Amino acid sequence: ANRVREAIEVVRRHYRHNGRGEPISHTVAFNSLVALPQLADPDVGADLVLALADAASWPHENSYTYFVEKSRQAVFEFLGEAEETLNKIRERDVEWLIESGRCVHGVTFTDGRKGGTLCCEGGRYKLDEDRRGLEPGDTVGVSAIPDSICRNMKGGSLGAASGAGWDPNQPPPVVECEVVVAKPLVVRPIIPSDKDSLSKSRSKLFRVDKLANRVQFTRAVAAIHLASAPPGLTSKKGKGLPPNHRPSDRVLNVLLA
């Protein structure tokens, strides 16, 4: 949540806000929104939508209104699902999460072959035909396993880890990553600077938990942005939609009416 608040302040300080300064590019606005952390407070996420909309240029008022209303709705749905998923991680038995294919427990990290990626070494996981497991494109949360649980693991048992593994009052920091390769498990932190904090902690053990569906959220925001942004200003770089996917004027007149 703190990162999101900082982003809002940066947008308001450095870009046009309420008619002042230069507008933010639509590519930057889109990329900033789809990088919204799953631990963010929904109201703060909605404030980010408003700050980005105020800092960008729009063809007309209806475009601005459509982007704000629909993007805020997508944010609330995404962060609502994220909260439910994080509560399951906090409350569910670790053994159940491992058996269901939603958790890899007790991994260490080495640098991946591609820039910005990390290879997961070791760990307990379950993978068979009856379980989907982790797949490329999934969003996962990486968190350090408490030392008390690590000591039990060295004795050959999860021990205390058979509970939630997280203190429900003080959950560990979660680094969001995207699964790049499923076997062997290779992940890429969504915020590139987070890679250093993980790769330098070679003596620690981590757990990797599947989080909410970020792909669906990204697709929804991409479609909203394409329909509301000025023609030709969306980018096919990254996870956005190219300008030639923009709906026809007749469709847009109905959407933005």
Side-chain angles (χ1 to χ4, degrees):
N2 288 337
R3 278 180 168 176
V4 180
R5 290 190 178 94
E6 290 172 3
I8 292 171
E9 290 304 314
V10 169
V11 169
R12 289 175 173 169
R13 187 166 60 246
H14 293 287
Y15 295 99
R16 185 184 70 186
H17 184 63
N18 294 331
R20 300 188 298 273
E22 294 296 322
I24 193 172
S25 80
H26 276 273
T27 298
V28 172
F30 171 78
N31 290 338
S32 300
L33 185 52
V34 297
L36 184 66
Q38 297 199 27
L39 288 173
D41 180 274
D43 290 331
V44 178
D47 288 342
L48 177 63
V49 171
L50 188 59
L52 293 170
D54 286 342
S57 59
W58 302 94
H60 43 73
E61 187 67 23
N62 284 359
S63 299
Y64 167 89
T65 301
Y66 179 83
F67 176 81
V68 170
E69 291 181 353
K70 298 301 182 182
S71 294
R72 283 164 61 95
Q73 181 180 348
V75 163
F76 284 129
E77 290 179 357
F78 172 58
L79 293 182
E81 180 190 352
E83 183 177 10
E84 291 180 7
T85 303
L86 288 166
N87 284 338
K88 286 181 180 179
I89 296 172
R90 292 186 181 100
E91 298 165 3
R92 286 281 191 174
D93 186 277
V94 171
E95 290 283 5
W96 183 91
L97 293 170
I98 294 171
E99 287 293 323
S100 65
R102 302 181 64 86
C103 177
V104 181
H105 197 274
V107 305
T108 57
F109 291 109
T110 59
D111 290 332
R113 293 182 179 179
K114 293 185 177 180
T117 63
L118 292 164
C119 292
C120 300
E121 304 284 346
R124 290 192 55 203
Y125 61 92
K126 189 77 171 182
L127 187 63
D128 56 40
E129 293 181 355
D130 297 328
R131 294 170 178 81
R132 177 182 180 274
L134 300 178
E135 295 185 355
D138 283 347
T139 301
V140 293
V142 175
S143 55
I145 299 174
D147 292 339
S148 59
I149 294 177
C150 290
R151 287 193 291 271
N152 289 330
M153 291 170 61
K154 290 178 182 178
S157 170
L158 280 176
S162 294
W166 282 7
D167 180 341
N169 299 315
Q170 293 182 326
V174 174
V175 175
E176 282 190 62
C177 301
E178 179 183 356
V179 175
V180 179
V181 180
K183 295 187 295 185
L185 184 59
V186 179
V187 300
R188 177 188 292 113
I190 290 176
I191 299 176
S193 59
D194 284 338
K195 176 180 179 293
D196 293 337
S197 63
L198 295 176
S199 60
K200 291 177 181 177
S201 303
R202 299 186 185 276
S203 62
K204 286 187 172 292
L205 294 178
F206 294 86
R207 57 184 288 173
V208 181
D209 292 276
K210 184 179 178 182
L211 298 182
N213 188 347
R214 182 174 289 276
V215 173
Q216 183 176 340
F217 170 65
T218 300
R219 288 174 177 170
V221 174
I224 294 165
H225 183 237
L226 183 67
S228 52
L233 291 190
T234 57
S235 173
K236 59 184 176 182
K237 294 182 180 180
K239 298 181 179 181
L241 290 170
N244 62 339
H245 284 212
R246 184 178 172 85
S248 68
D249 288 341
R250 293 179 63 182
V251 172
L252 288 176
N253 287 340
V254 174
L255 289 176
L256 305 180

